[in-house]
Amino acid sequence: MKKRYIIIINILIVGLILFIIVKYANDRATESNQASIASFEKMTTTTEQIVANYLEDEQHLCDIWANYINRSAEAGTPMTVDEAISYIRKAKISPEISGHLIYIDDGSMAGISTTASSTDPSNFSVKYSHINIFENLEISNVDGVVNLTRAYTNPLNGVQSIAFLNNIKVVDGETGNMRDALIIRVVPVSRLEQKLVFLKGEYENVEISLIDWDGDYMIHGKSLKNSNFFEYFKSYNPMSAQEYENVVETIRTDIGSMHIRNSKNEDSVIAYAPLSNLESWFLVAYIPANELTVSRSIDWMILGIVALGLMILLHFNLIILHNYNRKLAVAAEAANQANEAKSYFLSTMSHDIRTPMNAIIGMNEMILRDSRDNDVLMYSENIRAAGNTLLGIINDILDFSKIEAGKMEIIDVDYNFASLLNDIVNMVQRKADEKQLTFKLEVDNNIPRCLHGDEIRIKQVITNILSNAVKYTKEGSVTFSINSSKCEDSPDYVNLHVSVADTGVGIKEEDLHKLFEAFERIEEKKNRNIEGTGLGMAIAQSFLNMMDSKIQVESQYGKGSVFSFDLRQKVVKWEPLGEFDAAFKSFLKEREKYKVSFVAPDARILVVDDNEINLKVFVNLLRQTKMQIDTAESGDACIALFKRNFYDVIFLDHMMPNKDGLETIREMKAYTDTPNSKTPIICLTANAVSGMREMYINAGFDDYLTKPIDTKKLEGMLLTYLSADLIKEVDEKKKKIFVVGENIDFLRGVMEKLSDIYEVAVAKSTEQAQGYLKMHEVDLLLVDYQMPKLTEVDEGKIIGAHFEEMNVEEVASLADDYFSKVDDSGKEKA
């Protein structure tokens, strides 16, 4: 009995699996077919836009003819017929296109053409009375965006053509009377058909037709046998009168597709769309349905193989295998859910934190570049240090999986030890002050000023230890000590001994092993109000292990702890650190001002980001490169600019509402008729988790750049992707500024503050100024309003100001603003 149940269960399972496979294959095939039809519809609407644009352009040219002729009439000097035809002959460009001028006020519909008859080269007359193309058009009052006839045979050369119309007034050469006439721009249908050639690359047997409101053809697809499309539809697709009316109404009023039977009773697909700016013209694309249908042979082959495999597999001990697979499935699902939750958390945190960090660090970079006030620079440097330290911490949390996998790297660089100490102290001092703790700093003055190592990792290790000391100390003090000694075995290295002592809660001996375990919190209930994830010390220990060091811990429960480690660092300069505060101020003063690495005034780039502040940061970071930068705040705005303008590089944000960067680049890659088919597209992303590079490259991006944006990386990437002929060397020549005022102390201060950036000269009187200007050329004059007016000076280079009401920083801002608005020749930038 049990065996029978097992066989029945086996059969049911096999049948169910096969049913699911068949349903899945059918669903996938249906989805694929629907996607193919949707793509065909999209191609049709693209074609409609191309045709509509072409028709609008041709009508515009006809309107230019008419406007020129009519303006002559309105001005009181109307043209004769011969003069109008002579003007059109000169105005038309292509020899295939001709212009006809016919009278409409006497009903003769006769006139003259710009080209002669193909049978009689001396005959330029033309007559439209026998050509039935105006029956649905009120030619005496032509109006609208595009005034167009149906296709007809050109009476002069027998070529199938379409006509673009407009009313004009001309003088009858014989009677001298004003006549109402019609100007006709006659374009061969073949010109319009040429616009549709690109479709053949996508669909081999596609046919494009243009029909009017009644279904009569303007352009006739060869497979559509009847002379009227609606009649063709009705002839080979039997349906009721109501169904037929619904089909006609749908084609006239909607954009979409439908299946039809052709003259061979084969299944076909038509896609339809009304032509923009025309009330009664419609584009119909026809294609056999089998070209849009996915082949099912592979599906059935896979189904047969799977069915055979299932029968063999289920024949051997199905129950045992089923139980085993069920356990594996549960475990895999749990692991997958945990991994997805982790990835989602990391990705969300990366984006949500890095996006505002990009604005903070970017705007602060502008302050560092533009400010000359030492106090402001000190504050701004602290913001930069804190921002970069926070960014380093975020990066390490995001890449914790790399630590687990042993893929984290140590990156050694030259660094200023005073700057490192200041960054650490700024991060911890405030927290200690908030808890009213005494923060003691004991720094060996003989530590070398410039060392070589992984500054970011060292800073993070020390910051983690200090932050823990402050968090777990309720009262008393935290002492940060650091000293150095030369390494006897390596004369170019020093050994840094770092120690952090606190008077905090201490750690029980039995809990010491938990200290360096990820996500572990010692005495969780007692310390539940203390912030933290439990990752800090684990990350710090991992980094020190990679730098051949280790944290040592000495602790007495209830009295405090001492954390210490030794670290070897290579010495770049043996100059001693000295007094820490003075050393850091010296570092700020010597800190290299930002200098742009190149200029590219002829380069044009597009940056796309939904965040206005991020766009402002990006533009300001590249301000000194003089590149032409367009911005867009959405995927649709990006696509519009992408189709219209040429760009040398495009930066496209990933996370945007409505249409994100991945959707936008897919749509951009689908366009083949844009000037940017070969333009490199770089992804801007706040998502820095592992595996992102592969995802963006596979999505079609050429490269990616993480936020917050690093100026050096940004400029380096532009140097990689910009054409070499666009890159120009930076002109290091300083601008010459001449300051004229009576206050000598003020003038002296201006020279001291501005001489690092500009070549500054001063004068305390108008006479001195006039004498100097006779001998020297200057780029800008800053003149006190109280001074007499200077003569024989370019007024565009003079800026007047009340020096008594200003400080030196405001004078510097006036100069900076002026040079940001003018080019090297002194002319205002466009």
Side-chain angles (χ1 to χ4, degrees):
M1 188 63 106
K2 292 184 179 179
K3 184 177 180 180
R4 182 187 304 171
Y5 288 148
I6 292 174
I7 294 174
I8 293 173
I9 292 172
N10 286 349
I11 294 173
L12 291 175
I13 291 174
V14 170
L16 179 61
I17 292 175
L18 292 177
F19 171 77
I20 293 173
I21 292 174
V22 171
K23 187 176 186 306
Y24 175 77
N26 287 335
D27 290 345
R28 288 298 302 272
T30 300
E31 291 174 3
S32 180
N33 292 339
Q34 290 173 348
S36 297
I37 293 175
S39 178
F40 183 61
E41 292 178 9
K42 187 175 180 180
M43 186 64 72
T44 302
T45 56
T46 301
T47 305
E48 175 274 322
Q49 191 60 53
I50 292 172
V51 172
N53 290 343
Y54 173 75
L55 296 178
E56 188 173 348
D57 289 342
E58 289 292 342
Q59 180 63 50
H60 180 62
L61 293 174
C62 181
D63 293 343
I64 290 174
W65 293 354
N67 290 340
Y68 185 85
I69 295 170
N70 287 333
R71 280 200 301 269
S72 296
E74 292 169 1
T77 57
M79 289 185 178
T80 65
V81 174
D82 291 335
E83 289 172 340
I85 287 297
S86 177
Y87 159 71
I88 294 169
R89 285 196 183 101
K90 295 177 182 178
K92 75 185 187 69
I93 298 173
S94 172
E96 300 174 344
I97 296 174
S98 60
H100 294 173
L101 192 157
I102 62 173
Y103 292 116
I104 59 174
D105 53 2
D106 60 357
S108 66
M109 308 301 286
I112 189 169
S113 172
T114 58
T115 57
S117 170
S118 59
T119 58
D120 184 1
S122 64
N123 182 15
F124 287 86
S125 64
V126 65
K127 193 168 185 179
Y128 276 76
S129 59
H130 61 290
I131 300 176
N132 188 19
I133 60 174
F134 304 116
E135 60 181 5
N136 294 324
L137 185 65
E138 183 63 36
I139 61 175
S140 62
N141 187 26
V142 172
D143 195 11
V145 178
V146 179
N147 308 309
L148 188 63
T149 70
R150 67 178 61 190
Y152 71 101
T153 301
N154 187 337
L156 293 181
N157 56 19
V159 175
Q160 278 293 105
S161 306
I162 52 178
F164 298 83
L165 314 172
N166 209 326
N167 286 304
I168 61 171
K169 289 184 178 294
V170 292
V171 174
D172 192 323
E174 296 178 2
T175 65
N177 295 329
M178 294 295 296
R179 299 289 301 274
D180 292 332
L182 198 66
I183 193 71
I184 305 177
R185 181 178 173 87
V186 183
V187 180
V189 170
S190 59
R191 296 266 299 190
L192 179 56
E193 291 174 340
Q194 289 171 7
K195 303 296 178 182
L196 312 176
V197 172
F198 79 97
L199 285 174
K200 293 297 182 180
E202 290 286 335
Y203 305 100
E204 183 177 357
N205 295 317
V206 68
E207 294 177 19
I208 302 296
S209 299
L210 292 178
I211 63 173
D212 64 11
W213 182 266
D214 297 321
D216 293 330
Y217 293 104
M218 310 298 140
I219 294 180
H220 196 163
K222 64 180 181 180
S223 296
L224 306 179
K225 301 298 183 181
N226 299 50
S227 61
N228 182 286
F229 173 77
F230 293 144
E231 289 298 323
Y232 173 86
F233 195 104
K234 188 174 183 180
S235 298
Y236 300 103
N237 296 269
M239 61 184 69
S240 67
Q242 183 60 44
E243 291 173 334
Y244 171 75
E245 290 298 327
N246 290 339
V247 168
V248 172
E249 183 65 16
T250 299
I251 293 175
R252 288 175 174 172
T253 60
D254 204 354
I255 298 174
S257 64
M258 64 176 66
H259 284 263
I260 68 168
R261 310 300 294 186
N262 62 14
S263 58
K264 298 178 182 179
N265 201 30
E266 297 170 338
D267 186 22
S268 305
V269 175
I270 61 165
Y272 46 87
L275 285 181
S276 303
N277 303 324
L278 283 174
E279 296 181 356
S280 58
W281 275 50
F282 309 90
L283 184 143
V284 177
Y286 162 93
I287 193 170
N290 56 19
E291 287 198 25
L292 300 177
T293 304
V294 177
S295 173
R296 301 297 307 281
S297 57
I298 295 179
D299 290 344
W300 294 117
M301 185 182 298
I302 293 175
L303 179 62
I305 294 172
V306 171
L308 179 62
L310 284 174
M311 292 298 294
I312 295 173
L313 184 65
L314 292 176
H315 182 71
F316 294 96
N317 213 343
L318 180 63
I319 296 177
I320 296 175
L321 186 59
H322 173 72
N323 290 335
Y324 180 69
N325 286 339
R326 183 165 58 93
K327 293 178 181 178
L328 286 179
V330 171
E333 180 66 20
N336 187 52
Q337 289 178 354
N339 187 58
E340 288 180 358
K342 176 182 175 182
S343 298
Y344 178 78
F345 167 75
L346 293 177
S347 177
T348 303
M349 186 177 69
S350 174
H351 179 268
D352 290 348
I353 296 178
R354 282 174 171 268
T355 297
M357 284 295 293
N358 183 60
I360 293 170
I361 293 178
M363 288 300 183
N364 189 63
E365 176 67 19
M366 295 302 101
I367 297 174
L368 286 170
R369 290 186 191 180
D370 298 337
S371 178
R372 294 172 187 83
D373 185 277
N374 287 333
D375 290 335
V376 173
L377 285 174
M378 175 75 77
Y379 302 149
S380 188
E381 185 65 26
N382 290 338
I383 294 173
R384 180 201 63 78
N388 288 338
T389 302
L390 176 59
L391 185 60
I393 294 172
I394 294 168
N395 289 339
D396 292 329
I397 295 174
L398 294 175
D399 290 334
F400 187 71
S401 58
K402 286 186 178 181
I403 297 177
E404 294 175 323
K407 296 181 180 180
M408 181 61 70
E409 297 180 358
I410 295 297
I411 302 174
D412 293 335
V413 297
D414 295 347
Y415 65 92
N416 185 291
F417 196 73
S419 173
L420 179 143
L421 284 179
N422 185 77
D423 292 351
I424 293 171
V425 171
N426 282 335
M427 288 290 293
V428 179
Q429 179 76 62
R430 182 179 59 82
K431 293 182 179 180
D433 292 342
E434 288 175 353
K435 297 184 70 173
Q436 297 182 345
L437 300 176
T438 301
F439 183 73
K440 301 177 182 179
L441 182 63
E442 300 174 354
V443 180
D444 181 2
N445 294 344
N446 293 319
I447 296 175
R449 181 184 296 271
C450 189
L451 301 175
H452 183 81
D454 193 329
E455 177 187 15
I456 293 177
R457 304 306 178 202
I458 295 171
K459 216 177 338 184
Q460 185 173 344
V461 169
I462 299 175
T463 302
N464 279 335
I465 296 174
L466 281 170
S467 296
N468 267 7
V470 172
K471 283 193 293 185
Y472 289 96
T473 301
K474 295 182 179 179
E475 58 184 15
S477 65
V478 173
T479 303
F480 174 35
S481 304
I482 184 165
N483 54 61
S484 70
S485 59
K486 291 185 178 180
C487 295
E488 296 181 359
D489 56 339
S490 301
D492 293 335
Y493 285 80
V494 294
N495 184 68
L496 298 178
H497 180 74
V498 180
S499 174
V500 176
D502 65 64
T503 59
V505 297
I507 305 171
K508 294 179 181 178
E509 185 175 353
E510 60 267 26
D511 289 333
L512 285 175
H513 70 280
K514 299 180 181 179
L515 190 60
F516 303 111
E517 295 181 10
F519 302 106
E520 279 284 356
R521 298 285 300 277
I522 297 175
E523 293 189 298
E524 179 71 25
K525 292 182 179 179
K526 182 178 179 180
N527 300 315
R528 62 182 180 272
N529 294 325
I530 297 178
E531 61 183 6
T533 62
L535 275 177
M537 296 305 292
I539 292 175
Q541 188 72 291
S542 297
F543 287 152
L544 285 176
N545 289 339
M546 287 186 277
M547 292 185 281
D548 298 324
S549 184
K550 185 178 181 180
I551 298 176
Q552 303 293 332
V553 184
E554 299 177 10
S555 183
Q556 286 186 316
Y557 187 67
K559 294 185 177 180
S561 306
V562 177
F563 290 76
S564 63
F565 64 87
D566 294 303
L567 189 64
R568 282 164 54 102
Q569 293 287 277
K570 186 177 181 180
V571 179
V572 178
K573 292 182 180 179
W574 283 100
E575 178 186 356
L577 177 66
E579 186 67 26
F580 167 63
D581 289 339
F584 181 69
K585 290 179 180 178
S586 174
F587 163 75
L588 278 183
K589 187 174 182 180
E590 297 171 0
R591 184 178 66 87
E592 183 180 357
K593 277 284 186 180
Y594 166 78
K595 292 182 179 179
V596 66
S597 57
F598 70 96
V599 292
D602 296 327
R604 188 175 187 182
I605 68 173
L606 171 64
V607 57
V608 186
D609 197 312
D610 63 294
N611 189 302
E612 183 179 356
I613 295 179
N614 283 341
L615 289 176
K616 186 179 296 185
V617 167
F618 192 100
V619 171
N620 278 289
L621 288 176
L622 295 178
R623 180 179 60 193
Q624 296 185 32
T625 65
K626 301 182 181 179
M627 290 189 293
Q628 304 170 50
I629 304 175
D630 290 349
T631 61
E633 296 186 9
S634 68
D636 288 329
C638 166
I639 291 170
L641 293 172
F642 174 83
K643 292 163 63 178
R644 184 169 67 242
N645 303 325
F646 170 75
Y647 296 102
D648 296 289
V649 181
I650 296 174
F651 291 88
L652 175 59
D653 187 31
H654 175 197
M655 301 295 287
M656 295 186 295
N658 299 325
K659 185 177 291 182
D660 66 19
L662 300 182
E663 295 171 321
T664 302
I665 194 172
R666 278 197 295 268
E667 190 167 339
M668 292 164 69
K669 293 291 185 181
Y671 292 107
T672 58
D673 56 339
T674 73
N676 296 291
S677 58
K678 296 183 179 180
T679 299
I681 304 176
I682 298 168
C683 183
L684 290 176
T685 177
N687 193 347
V689 298
S690 300
M692 287 299 101
R693 177 179 179 81
E694 293 77 11
M695 184 187 79
Y696 292 131
I697 298 301
N698 293 335
F701 289 98
D702 296 274
D703 213 327
Y704 85 114
L705 187 64
T706 57
K707 301 175 186 175
I709 296 172
D710 181 87
T711 304
K712 291 184 179 179
K713 290 183 179 179
L714 175 59
E715 291 183 1
M717 190 165 286
L718 284 167
L719 286 172
T720 300
Y721 290 103
L722 284 177
S723 175
D725 58 349
L726 296 173
I727 305 298
K728 295 180 173 56
E729 293 183 359
V730 180
D731 184 7
E732 295 292 340
K733 184 179 179 182
K734 292 183 178 180
K735 300 288 187 182
K736 295 182 179 179
I737 298 178
F738 190 42
V739 186
V740 184
E742 294 180 341
N743 190 323
I744 296 176
D745 292 335
F746 184 85
L747 295 178
R748 186 180 295 114
V750 170
M751 289 193 69
E752 290 177 356
K753 289 291 185 180
L754 271 65
S755 59
D756 289 340
I757 299 177
Y758 303 112
E759 184 177 330
V760 184
V762 299
K764 63 179 182 179
S765 68
T766 304
E767 291 75 20
Q768 286 182 348
Q770 294 285 176
Y772 181 89
L773 292 173
K774 287 180 181 180
M775 304 295 295
H776 301 86
E777 288 286 335
V778 298
D779 299 299
L780 173 63
L781 286 89
L782 296 170
V783 182
D784 193 336
Y785 277 140
Q786 296 181 5
M787 302 297 294
K789 185 176 181 181
L790 296 172
T791 60
E792 299 180 3
V793 178
D794 184 358
E795 293 290 335
K797 293 183 178 180
I798 297 178
I799 296 179
H802 291 287
F803 286 174
E804 291 183 357
E805 301 174 3
M806 301 176 65
N807 56 38
V808 175
E809 293 299 321
E810 290 172 323
V811 174
S813 296
L814 285 177
D816 292 345
D817 290 342
Y818 174 82
F819 289 119
S820 69
K821 296 176 182 177
V822 301
D823 57 23
D824 294 336
S825 64
K827 295 181 179 179
E828 188 172 353
K829 296 178 181 177

